[in-house]
């Protein structure tokens, strides 16, 4: 569907609830909270599902996390198939470290409010990648348009699928094609002086 200006407001409300629920965890004040995914990119068409990310130094046991987040409506997510992408671990991007422990994650969702919560380690290269991808699309409208067209084409192609898994895998081709350009953009941003 077309971009909905209420998405960032919904995302912030959900992040505030999650932040409050996770307060009992050790070092919770150091956790990072982000609105990620297509709904976090202004004017980008998207499925109306809010993606959120929390980064923390280490992942708590799944049962503890589920208990803490239960009052928010977030419950553990299970893939439609055993190989559903991104449920229990992320797939390393080209050039990133391959240590499997870095890519372990917890995935929860709130079916009532159409939201997905990705909980990743603070040192997860994939956690950094999703923020980079969001920021790159925000700052490169031509690439955001190309990504939007790719997603629309893939949505039509996979409209009859029983789940989103093949659609999700197919989007990786766009990420692979734009990988070098995105990383180059990130390097230029890192080298720019910041005003204080």
């Amino acid at each position: 569907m077309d971009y909905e200006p209420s998405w960032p407001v919904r995302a912030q409300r959900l992040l505030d609830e999650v932040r409050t629920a996770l307060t009992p965890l050790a070092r919770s004040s150091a956790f990072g909270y982000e609105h990620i995914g297509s709904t976090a990119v202004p004017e980008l068409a998207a499925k109306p599902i809010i993606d959120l990310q929390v980064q923390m130094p280490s992942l708590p046991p799944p049962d503890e996390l589920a208990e803490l987040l239960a009052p928010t409506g977030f419950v553990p997510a299970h893939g439609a198939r055993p190989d559903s992408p991104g449920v229990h671990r992320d797939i390393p991007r080209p050039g990133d470290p391959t240590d499997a422990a870095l890519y372990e994650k917890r995935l929860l969702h709130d079916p009532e409010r159409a939201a997905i919560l990705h909980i990743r380690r603070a040192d997860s290269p994939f956690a950094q990648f999703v923020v980079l991808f969001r920021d790159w699309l925000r700052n490169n409208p031509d690439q955001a348009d190309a990504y939007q067209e790719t997603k629309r084409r893939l949505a039509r192609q996979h409209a009859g699928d029983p789940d989103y898994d093949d659609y999700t895998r197919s989007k990786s081709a766009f990420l692979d094609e734009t990988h070098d350009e995105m990383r180059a953009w990130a390097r230029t941003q890192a080298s720019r002086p910041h005003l204080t």
Side-chain angles (χ1 to χ4, degrees):
M1 71 181 290
D2 289 339
Y3 180 77
E4 173 55 57
S6 67
W7 287 340
V9 176
R10 283 180 52 206
Q12 190 56 58
R13 190 176 323 123
L14 291 164
L15 285 171
D16 290 345
E17 292 177 20
V18 168
R19 185 189 311 267
T20 299
L22 296 180
T23 300
L25 292 176
R27 299 175 58 198
S28 63
S29 62
F31 294 177
Y33 295 84
E34 299 272 1
H35 178 198
I36 59 170
S38 295
T39 61
V41 181
E43 305 307 322
L44 185 64
K47 295 189 300 290
I49 300 171
I50 304 294
D51 278 285
L52 308 169
Q53 174 173 270
V54 178
Q55 292 178 258
M56 51 182 67
S58 60
L59 299 179
D63 291 346
E64 180 183 2
L65 204 51
E67 184 178 335
L68 287 171
L69 289 168
T72 70
F74 280 100
V75 295
H78 306 286
R81 301 185 292 213
D83 66 339
S84 291
V87 176
H88 301 293
R89 72 179 54 257
D90 296 307
I91 299 168
R93 298 293 307 148
D96 282 346
T98 56
D99 178 0
L102 293 172
Y103 298 92
E104 183 182 358
K105 68 185 260 190
R106 308 281 185 256
L107 189 71
L108 299 98
H109 68 134
D110 183 334
E112 295 294 318
R113 296 188 288 178
I116 298 174
L117 178 61
H118 307 257
I119 299 184
R120 296 176 167 113
R121 287 173 32 165
D123 59 354
S124 162
F126 202 86
Q128 297 159 16
F129 167 76
V130 296
V131 172
L132 167 61
F133 185 57
R134 177 202 66 193
D135 292 347
W136 179 68
L137 290 177
R138 284 177 174 176
N139 287 278
N140 292 275
D142 290 345
Q143 290 296 350
D145 289 344
Y147 184 53
Q148 177 171 269
E149 183 49 41
T150 297
K151 292 193 333 156
R152 284 186 165 147
R153 177 178 48 79
L154 292 172
R156 289 189 299 271
Q157 183 179 333
H158 295 285
D161 291 0
D163 55 54
Y164 291 123
D165 288 0
D166 291 331
Y167 167 83
T168 300
R169 288 186 186 92
S170 297
K171 286 193 303 185
S172 296
F174 179 87
L175 304 179
D176 292 343
E177 290 167 11
T178 58
H179 178 87
D180 292 342
E181 181 180 339
M182 186 178 9
R183 296 290 186 178
W185 176 83
R187 286 191 294 276
T188 64
Q189 298 307 299
S191 66
R192 293 175 69 183
H194 296 285
L195 299 176
T196 56

